[in-house]
Amino acid sequence: MIYSRISATGSALPKRQVTNAQLAAELAERGIETSDDWIAERTGIRQRYLAGQDEKTSTLATMAAQRALQAAGRPASEVDLVVVATSTPDLIFPSTACLVQAALGAKGAAAFDVQAVCSGFAYALSCADAMIRTGMYRCAVVIGAEVFSNIIDWNDRTTCVLFGDGAGAVVLEASEQAGIRATKLHADGSLQHILCAAGNVQKGQISGHPFLYMDGQAVFKQAVQVLEDNAREVLALADMGVEQLDWLIPHQANLRILNATAKRLGVPSNKVVVTVDQHANTSAASVPLALDVAVRDGRIQRGQQVLLQGVGGGFTWGSVLLTY
């Protein structure tokens, strides 16, 4: 039987680091009042990274992919599939994945984007896993990459303090050993209004609201419930119990959501990977970013059981249970 297994991870962040205090000072110049304490108390965020003019989604995605390939000891020529999860593509088309494929030098590899917002990486990883299991491909680069600062209304205090930019990637390879053990994805389009960026381009003009909108209370309520249910669902598919988990890596949106989810599942805090304080909410990039941090600092070891979870606009959610 063919399985898929993560052989290495990588990540990339923009050059510009912005602390809460720095952001508060910049917003004050616009007449918007906030503070480090106000942001940290409500979200757990202490800083974020914001992309400059020369740092696009494809730029960050390529850097993360290159670092993952280097860690895997794989040349780009061996990659036959590139999947990029993003809600902030460089262009309407071609896909960001095609831009990354060209930049990597993985000519001929299949390349496409997945758009499931903050659940994007779980969706992309599930797609690549299925395609490897069928024998269609053997070596995939799966990336979550965002430049959310491009779609943020910097006059809206309720959202502009929450997000950051970045990218995370994994090399997913065919294996005789089980790596990804179970996946489960869901969506409820009737909840699209609680988290959306509802603008689009029509005949050269912006139609609708071009910035991100979020009903924070509604998102919190939905996120905590679906993350718990989805975790139990994917564990049951793998015939595993919560107590067998070594690490939980939820979408890094808000520390309160992370803590509430872990508490409801009965996962101790020392088994939850938290990077929201350093990166803020990087949407589809948040889970692979957190995974790379925990792999590179030595917390996540080979053979350990890891649960990745995403939840975001759409409304979408999904979980991937794997043996690293």
Side-chain angles (χ1 to χ4, degrees):
M1 181 177 289
I2 301 173
Y3 299 98
S4 75
R5 192 179 185 94
I6 292 175
S7 59
T9 64
S11 61
L13 294 164
K15 294 185 286 289
R16 185 181 174 220
Q17 180 191 72
V18 181
T19 66
N20 286 348
Q22 290 171 321
L23 182 60
E26 292 175 13
L27 292 176
E29 295 178 1
R30 301 173 183 228
I32 302 168
E33 183 180 345
T34 190
S35 68
D36 178 25
D37 289 342
W38 189 90
I39 298 169
E41 181 182 343
R42 287 163 176 76
T43 68
I45 296 167
R46 293 289 181 181
Q47 63 175 38
R48 75 283 295 143
Y49 292 81
L50 299 178
Q53 290 291 330
D54 61 337
E55 295 172 311
K56 300 179 180 180
T57 298
S58 64
T59 310
L60 297 171
T62 299
M63 290 173 61
Q66 288 171 333
R67 289 167 182 169
L69 286 168
Q70 182 179 33
R74 288 283 189 186
S77 59
E78 294 183 1
V79 174
D80 52 13
L81 176 63
V82 179
V83 186
V84 176
T86 186
S87 299
T88 54
D90 290 15
L91 308 167
I92 295 175
F93 68 82
S95 68
T96 301
C98 280
L99 302 179
V100 172
Q101 182 239 47
L104 290 175
K107 189 173 183 178
F112 62 90
D113 287 357
V114 171
Q115 213 281 48
V117 200
C118 304
S119 306
F121 186 72
Y123 270 66
L125 196 56
S126 296
C127 288
D129 169 58
M131 296 172 86
I132 287 176
R133 282 174 179 262
T134 64
M136 291 175 63
Y137 301 99
R138 293 198 58 82
C139 182
V141 175
V142 185
I143 308 162
E146 304 282 15
V147 179
F148 250 55
S149 56
N150 284 341
I151 60 169
I152 295 299
D153 182 353
W154 291 97
N155 293 309
D156 179 5
R157 184 180 70 161
T158 63
T159 58
C160 72
V161 302
L162 302 177
F163 294 91
D165 304 327
V170 301
V171 177
L172 189 70
E173 302 190 45
S175 173
E176 294 181 357
Q177 291 183 307
I180 294 183
R181 308 187 75 86
T183 70
K184 193 64 176 178
L185 309 174
H186 292 284
D188 184 351
S190 69
L191 296 175
Q192 61 187 273
H193 59 283
I194 67 174
L195 179 55
C196 58
N200 59 65
V201 177
Q202 292 186 8
K203 299 180 180 179
Q205 301 295 320
I206 295 174
S207 174
H209 185 63
F211 299 121
L212 178 148
Y213 166 79
M214 182 173 67
D215 180 340
Q217 289 187 336
V219 169
F220 180 92
K221 181 179 178 181
Q222 290 293 328
V224 172
Q225 184 61 58
V226 300
L227 286 173
E228 178 192 3
D229 293 346
N230 198 208
R232 297 191 187 283
E233 185 179 29
V234 79
L235 283 164
L237 287 173
D239 195 25
M240 287 176 57
V242 173
E243 71 283 353
Q244 292 175 268
L245 282 178
D246 293 294
W247 296 102
L248 172 64
I249 308 182
H251 168 50
Q252 306 287 309
N254 182 306
L255 188 58
R256 291 180 177 181
I257 293 176
L258 272 70
N259 289 340
T261 301
K263 183 177 181 180
R264 291 173 71 140
L265 286 171
V267 176
S269 59
N270 63 356
K271 287 189 174 184
V272 183
V273 176
V274 177
T275 58
V276 67
D277 57 327
Q278 298 298 306
H279 303 150
N281 183 347
T282 55
S283 189
S286 81
V287 169
L289 262 172
L291 175 63
D292 184 54
V293 167
V295 166
R296 289 178 183 261
D297 69 19
R299 275 178 289 173
I300 294 179
Q301 299 287 321
R302 284 292 173 195
Q304 291 187 326
Q305 311 304 319
V306 183
L307 177 60
L308 312 178
Q309 293 196 284
V311 58
F315 198 73
T316 63
W317 61 99
S319 295
V320 178
L321 179 64
L322 60 90
T323 301
Y324 185 70

